[in-house]
Amino acid sequence: MNLEIPKKYNGVKNAALMAAKTVFRPISRKYDVEEHAYPKELDLLAAGLNGLNDGSGGAIGGASSKSDDSPEGTVRNGGNMANCINIQAMCYGDVGLLLTIPRQGLGNAAISAVANTEQKERFNKLWAAMAITEPGCGSDSSAITTTARKEGDYYVLNGEKIFITCGERADVIVVWATLDKSIGKSAIKSFVVENNSPGMDLIRVEKKLGIRASDTAAIVFTDCKVPAANLLGSPDIDIKKGFGGVMETFDNTRPFVASMANGVAEAALERTKEILADQVNLDYQTPINNVKAAEAELYRMEAEHEAARLLTLRAAWMADNRKPNSLEASICKAKAGRITTALTLKCVELCGSLGYSYKELLEKWSRDSKILDIFEGTQQIQQLIIARRLLKKSSTELK
Amino acid sequence: MKDTKNKNRNKQTDPLATSFGLLNQVLDSKIGKALNLRKLSEQLVYQGTVNGMKVAGGASRIFKGSGKKGERLDTQQPTDLFDLNYNDEQQMIRDTLLQFATQMRTVAQETDDNMTISEEIWNGFNELQLAYMQVPESMGGMIKERSTVTQMMMVETLAYGDLGQALALFSRHSVLNAIMQWGTQAQQEELVPIFLSETPELATIAVNEPNPLFSPFDLQTTAFREGDKFILKGKKNIVPLAAKSAFFLVAAKTPDKGPQLFIVDRNTAGITVSTDRAMGLSCAELAEIELNNVEVDASAQLGGDEGIKYNEFVNYCKLGWCALAVGCAQSILDYVIPYCNERQAFGEPISHRQSVAFMIADIKIELDSMRILTQRAAAKAEQGLDFEREAYLAHVMCSDKSMQIASNGVQLLGGHGFIRDYPVERWYRDLRAASIAYNGLHL
């Protein structure tokens, strides 16, 4: 048993940390203040990343164990773990900026997970956003009302999508729509729609609590025509298989979102220790009830952060070893989401008015972190998934 | 101590017979069978013989012979692979111990009521012969490398059966771990065979003192050197099995080396052992040890004149308590799941309510957090890496979360949780000790 990060990931980690420190941090406050301004500094970074990632699906979720060539039956440390390490290091820089790196979006992850070979080739070089949420449905993505009607070689989309990360900036948007509302989950399909197609209206770019560097768009589709070849996966409605296909993406990506939270937590904890360096002494010996209150807080936060980080690596390790990890993926997302919000807020508190001021990034990280306990499945959705698994309950029994 | 001496003398009369007896015992033991260990060589028989003859003990236990560093188990080869699997051997030990834990669970309530562990459990446990998994082949055991992960897994699995019993059962193995890790050659030669014998003596570790805001690094118990003796003075409490133990490892502050450990015979003049009933852990027969100018030979300082790395010793104690907490918390999770699925309210199982289901999800999340931090610290320890920070963080996590889990365990059963017919109130009482106690355990 060993829970240390293998040396082979040092390269990935160091490159990401370098980008975090030299590209993200210097512009972190700038794009927090200038919400909706495009961080052009990222174009160069994206070009570099494209070279690195060719063939894999991008920083936020594409790479899988497929690329690992270690023999069957042995333990693997593969692409999922590499991604977690990479994302945590990048988000140690800035999570908002990571989310808006061109061609590294959740849509790219979806394409990489479910597209056929022809589609992968066609969409490979594009920046893909993902549109699931609607004004009337958030966590309950099976309730979406956007429709896709087949007309010849096209599907015609109608409906409104909100909370689309990179919805303004991306080249294409992966839109979830139903072929037949009366059938339910299994009729939901995803479509790759070219941004600014006729029938597509960008109605709003949201102003937000945090991750302001990342654009969050609302788009209305009115008789928007999409080539039938842009439907991802099978066009048939398979009632047995149903929702599994589209949800697959999320099993893969929860550890990556947990890694984002781990990166923000790492940054906040490290900075808080620096600021408090003259006022606290952490000897990792004195019992926690015999140390200063601030020291006790730091110990507890460090323990929680380490647990979240290791639980995330566990989920990634399982994916790399092709063990079903839906439960563990939800556990790491729930843990990282909840502790990072609490941790970053406590760091602001410990640093007092300095922590609250724009002079430090602590207050920004505590705003950024809140979304990490919401998107890709809220804390409560993760708890539901975990509880249903443990209690062996269906979604109709445990609602 | 007299009994030990007699037994030891018996051994001396026929050391070879004893060695063969030991060998057969090992091969017959459940663990031995599980591991299919037929690899014990003639060398082991020889070693057993030598060790058997060396067993001796004066009235005040003087460790004659070399005060040099004793035999140390090798550290595990560092690996560069992130791997959460137990190896095959660990898996087999775990399966065997799980069966035994089931037995422990069955009798847990009556054991708690009787405030002592039954003979059946002791016999069953002794049959497992876990000591052979702690001692190197060269000294009559079965292993080459130290495995803190294995030790952690053993304690966790026993505690899954019952925390109080696990503490008591493992206390002598903890002393053995400490002697393997820190003892001088002479200390090991005298004490290790005691643990490998057919009916091993009990022994226990005493660190805690009855002081508020107690810290193991700020001891009131003192050890002053006078000639070739140390004079120990002070009070230890909540020490498991103290009254029944042949000897203790007592933590005391020395003037020049800070806190150190001393091997103290139960029957040494100046020692008073009295019952120290507490909130839980009743079957571990907690006791207070008063040391009133107790004289021990200078050779009884653990690790000899050089002493030991006391902070590291404490880290191993803490990891032991983390492992106990993890095992017990797992038993709570596994208990509340079927309970909440079966318990009906308002026409459906209470587990259909999010307020109930989410508490169970949270137990799982925090239990996994406790376990993974403890595993990481243990894995670093066995690779010979510095694990002080990891042990500290694991202890913080296990302290906070295990109590929270135990409290929620009682809460989920409502009024029934408060009644002694159900085990959750016992787990609540037992787990309160997890953040307080350092006694009894050393991985």
Side-chain angles (χ1 to χ4, degrees):
Chain A
M1 188 175 286
N2 178 50
L3 290 83
E4 306 310 305
I5 291 179
K7 287 188 194 74
K8 72 172 182 180
Y9 295 121
N10 285 352
V12 175
K13 187 178 173 181
N14 292 337
L17 275 180
M18 181 72 90
K21 287 176 183 164
T22 62
V23 183
F24 284 4
R25 284 285 181 94
I27 59 172
S28 203
R29 180 61 80 184
K30 179 182 172 193
Y31 290 103
D32 179 54
V33 174
E34 293 172 29
E35 193 169 12
H36 301 166
Y38 176 67
K40 54 192 182 309
E41 291 88 344
L42 298 186
D43 286 344
L44 200 61
L45 182 69
L49 282 179
N50 260 19
L52 279 176
N53 284 347
D54 254 355
S56 85
I60 311 182
S64 71
S65 54
K66 284 170 203 159
S67 58
D68 195 298
D69 54 0
S70 52
E72 280 295 329
T74 59
V75 174
R76 300 152 197 258
N77 290 160
N80 283 284
M81 189 171 286
N83 251 337
C84 284
I85 291 163
N86 178 38
I87 292 168
Q88 179 175 335
M90 297 279 249
C91 292
Y92 167 84
D94 190 300
V95 60
L97 290 168
L98 173 91
L99 286 167
T100 202
I101 298 178
R103 293 175 293 281
Q104 308 290 326
L106 190 54
N108 292 91
I111 290 170
S112 138
V114 285
N116 62 36
T117 321
E118 180 273 326
Q119 289 169 328
K120 271 182 190 159
E121 207 146 285
R122 203 147 45 91
F123 303 132
N124 186 27
K125 300 287 176 199
L126 300 176
W127 182 357
M130 183 94 124
I132 306 169
T133 309
E134 299 178 358
C137 88
S139 296
D140 179 15
S141 38
S142 63
I144 61 176
T145 59
T146 298
T147 53
R149 193 177 68 244
K150 186 89 189 280
E151 273 184 18
D153 291 341
Y154 291 89
Y155 285 95
V156 180
L157 302 188
N158 278 288
E160 180 178 349
K161 291 288 178 186
I162 61 169
F163 299 167
I164 309 166
T165 299
C166 306
E168 185 189 22
R169 297 168 187 168
D171 303 314
V172 294
I173 299 177
V174 178
V175 180
W176 289 25
T178 175
L179 296 177
D180 185 343
K181 262 190 270 189
S182 66
I183 293 176
K185 290 176 185 177
S186 50
I188 296 171
K189 300 287 170 188
S190 49
F191 303 85
V192 181
V193 187
E194 200 176 316
N195 213 345
N196 304 314
S197 303
M200 235 179 121
D201 280 310
L202 176 76
I203 57 168
R204 195 168 63 244
V205 181
E206 309 285 359
K207 294 178 182 171
K208 304 190 297 295
L209 172 65
I211 55 161
R212 290 177 182 164
S214 162
D215 65 305
T216 305
I219 295 174
V220 169
F221 298 89
T222 314
D223 293 328
C224 176
K225 283 170 84 176
V226 185
N230 285 15
L231 183 150
L232 295 176
S234 158
D236 305 322
I237 299 172
D238 182 346
I239 293 172
K240 263 192 207 150
K241 229 178 166 187
F243 212 37
V246 271
M247 291 307 281
E248 237 166 52
T249 325
F250 288 104
D251 270 356
N252 273 331
T253 52
R254 285 196 295 269
F256 303 138
V257 177
S259 297
M260 291 178 199
N262 296 334
V264 178
E266 183 189 353
L269 191 57
E270 181 193 275
R271 184 61 191 142
T272 303
K273 282 183 177 177
E274 281 170 13
I275 292 172
L276 296 179
D278 293 339
Q279 285 159 289
V280 299
N281 172 35
L282 303 179
D283 64 5
Y284 297 96
Q285 284 187 3
T286 314
I288 197 154
N289 293 319
N290 302 28
V291 300
K292 275 188 188 179
E295 291 164 348
E297 294 285 7
L298 288 171
Y299 281 135
R300 289 205 161 92
M301 290 193 290
E302 193 169 336
E304 296 283 21
H305 165 58
E306 279 291 287
R309 187 183 68 80
L310 290 167
L311 290 175
T312 306
L313 289 177
R314 173 179 70 165
W317 172 80
M318 291 177 76
D320 283 336
N321 288 284
R322 301 196 180 106
K323 296 175 190 243
N325 74 340
S326 180
L327 173 65
E328 290 77 9
S330 282
I331 287 174
C332 75
K333 170 70 171 71
K335 180 76 181 176
R338 67 165 68 163
I339 75 103
T340 298
T341 307
L343 182 151
T344 51
L345 285 167
K346 182 56 79 178
C347 286
V348 170
E349 188 186 352
L350 288 179
C351 296
S353 45
L354 180 62
Y356 195 66
S357 120
Y358 266 27
K359 290 197 173 63
E360 288 290 335
L361 288 167
L362 288 167
E363 65 79 32
K364 175 185 179 298
W365 292 329
S366 74
R367 288 185 285 111
D368 289 348
S369 64
K370 197 76 193 96
I371 191 62
L372 302 171
D373 206 19
I374 296 172
F375 68 17
E376 294 276 309
T378 60
Q379 176 70 221
Q380 290 67 30
I381 289 295
Q382 306 308 335
Q383 285 174 308
L384 256 186
I385 294 171
I386 295 162
R388 280 180 193 149
R389 291 242 160 204
L390 294 174
L391 293 157
K392 300 190 170 66
K393 294 289 175 186
S394 68
S395 53
T396 51
E397 292 167 319
L398 177 50
K399 288 178 201 146
Chain B
M1 215 62 244
K2 269 180 192 160
D3 290 349
T4 321
K5 272 188 279 173
N6 288 337
K7 265 175 218 152
N8 291 341
R9 289 215 182 90
N10 290 340
K11 261 180 214 162
Q12 279 175 328
T13 55
D14 192 359
L16 204 60
T18 312
S19 300
F20 278 118
L22 280 178
L23 182 59
N24 284 332
Q25 247 170 274
V26 171
L27 296 177
D28 282 348
S29 80
K30 286 180 188 161
I31 296 282
K33 276 177 194 153
L35 298 176
N36 195 17
L37 274 169
R38 295 276 155 187
K39 65 178 182 183
L40 285 174
S41 58
E42 284 165 23
Q43 192 204 352
L44 183 138
V45 179
Y46 168 74
Q47 288 289 355
T49 313
V50 173
N51 289 334
M53 292 205 293
K54 276 187 186 162
V55 172
S60 59
R61 208 179 273 276
I62 298 166
F63 296 92
K64 288 180 195 146
S66 172
K68 273 191 281 184
K69 210 175 99 172
E71 180 106 16
R72 295 288 179 263
L73 288 158
D74 295 338
T75 52
Q76 298 273 329
Q77 282 295 317
T79 163
D80 200 30
L81 194 67
F82 184 99
D83 188 6
L84 290 166
N85 291 326
Y86 288 128
N87 62 33
D88 291 347
E89 186 182 272
Q90 288 167 333
Q91 196 55 54
M92 278 189 276
I93 296 173
R94 195 174 132 72
D95 293 344
T96 307
L97 287 184
L98 261 181
Q99 285 177 24
F100 184 67
T102 311
Q103 244 176 292
M104 290 165 72
R105 178 77 65 82
T106 314
V107 299
Q109 193 185 339
E110 61 179 89
T111 308
D112 188 46
D113 290 342
N114 296 339
M115 296 192 288
T116 189
I117 291 173
S118 72
E119 213 168 301
E120 290 76 28
I121 290 291
W122 272 117
N123 291 340
F125 182 71
N126 288 343
E127 269 178 42
L128 295 169
Q129 310 228 358
L130 295 187
Y132 287 88
M133 305 308 296
Q134 301 176 279
V135 175
E137 288 172 358
S138 58
M139 298 188 74
M142 286 187 186
I143 57 171
K144 278 203 174 83
E145 291 166 336
R146 164 154 58 113
S147 178
T148 317
V149 171
T150 306
Q151 300 295 311
M152 181 212 158
M153 176 272 291
M154 294 199 297
V155 173
E156 179 190 333
T157 312
L158 292 171
Y160 181 69
D162 181 47
L163 195 156
Q165 293 177 68
L167 168 64
L169 295 173
F170 207 77
S171 65
R172 80 167 178 241
H173 296 279
S174 296
V175 171
L176 177 55
N177 274 337
I179 286 162
M180 284 317 308
Q181 178 81 1
W182 310 106
T184 62
Q185 216 175 313
Q187 288 165 351
Q188 290 182 344
E189 279 170 4
E190 170 151 353
L191 298 177
V192 170
I194 294 178
F195 294 98
L196 294 179
S197 80
E198 196 172 350
T199 48
E201 295 279 359
L202 297 179
T204 192
I205 297 172
V207 177
N208 282 84
E209 297 174 349
N211 307 318
L213 289 179
F214 168 77
S215 164
F217 298 99
D218 185 17
L219 300 173
Q220 304 298 307
T221 302
T222 53
F224 286 103
R225 182 81 183 246
E226 273 184 20
D228 57 355
K229 304 254 183 256
F230 276 99
I231 312 294
L232 269 59
K233 208 174 170 179
K235 206 183 253 184
K236 297 287 167 184
N237 79 332
I238 63 160
V239 185
L241 296 181
K244 290 180 173 169
S245 289
F247 66 95
F248 320 127
L249 292 183
V250 177
K253 190 167 78 180
T254 65
D256 54 337
K257 289 207 167 57
Q260 289 293 320
L261 270 295
F262 295 87
I263 303 162
V264 184
D265 277 9
R266 157 78 182 84
N267 291 334
T268 317
I271 287 182
T272 315
V273 177
S274 50
T275 305
D276 190 18
R277 268 189 83 175
M279 181 176 178
L281 311 172
S282 72
C283 70
E285 301 180 58
L286 303 183
E288 190 170 85
I289 302 175
E290 217 181 312
L291 302 123
N292 190 13
N293 293 320
V294 173
E295 280 187 21
V296 296
D297 193 80
S299 64
Q301 180 179 350
L302 188 61
D305 289 340
E306 242 178 72
I308 64 163
K309 286 182 190 161
Y310 178 75
N311 59 322
E312 220 173 283
F313 179 92
V314 171
N315 291 337
Y316 282 110
C317 298
K318 285 199 283 204
L319 286 187
W321 278 93
C322 288
L324 272 190
V326 171
C328 187
Q330 181 73 55
S331 65
I332 295 175
L333 177 65
D334 290 355
Y335 189 83
V336 297
I337 288 172
Y339 181 89
C340 295
N341 274 338
E342 281 158 29
R343 177 74 185 169
Q344 301 268 327
F346 309 105
E348 62 180 349
I350 60 171
S351 61
H352 289 191
R353 308 278 162 162
Q354 287 193 351
S355 62
V356 168
F358 284 13
M359 273 167 85
I360 292 172
D362 286 348
I363 289 176
K364 172 69 175 163
I365 293 167
E366 305 305 1
L367 165 61
D368 282 11
S369 302
M370 287 163 55
R371 182 180 284 117
I372 208 157
L373 287 187
T374 310
Q375 285 176 334
R376 181 175 184 219
K380 281 191 90 170
E382 71 179 19
Q383 291 176 46
L385 304 169
D386 179 28
F387 66 104
E388 183 147 86
R389 172 179 171 271
E390 287 72 19
Y392 190 90
L393 298 179
H395 193 242
V396 165
M397 181 68 70
C398 292
S399 296
D400 288 353
K401 305 300 182 187
S402 68
M403 199 63 250
Q404 185 188 316
I405 288 169
S407 180
N408 285 339
V410 173
Q411 194 73 27
L412 283 166
L413 268 75
H416 292 104
F418 204 70
I419 304 290
R420 295 198 59 193
D421 293 347
Y422 296 86
V424 284
E425 67 83 29
R426 186 179 68 247
W427 294 329
Y428 179 91
R429 289 183 290 115
D430 289 348
L431 276 174
R432 183 60 282 177
S435 61
I436 294 167
Y438 298 85
N439 288 343
L441 292 176
H442 180 295
L443 293 189

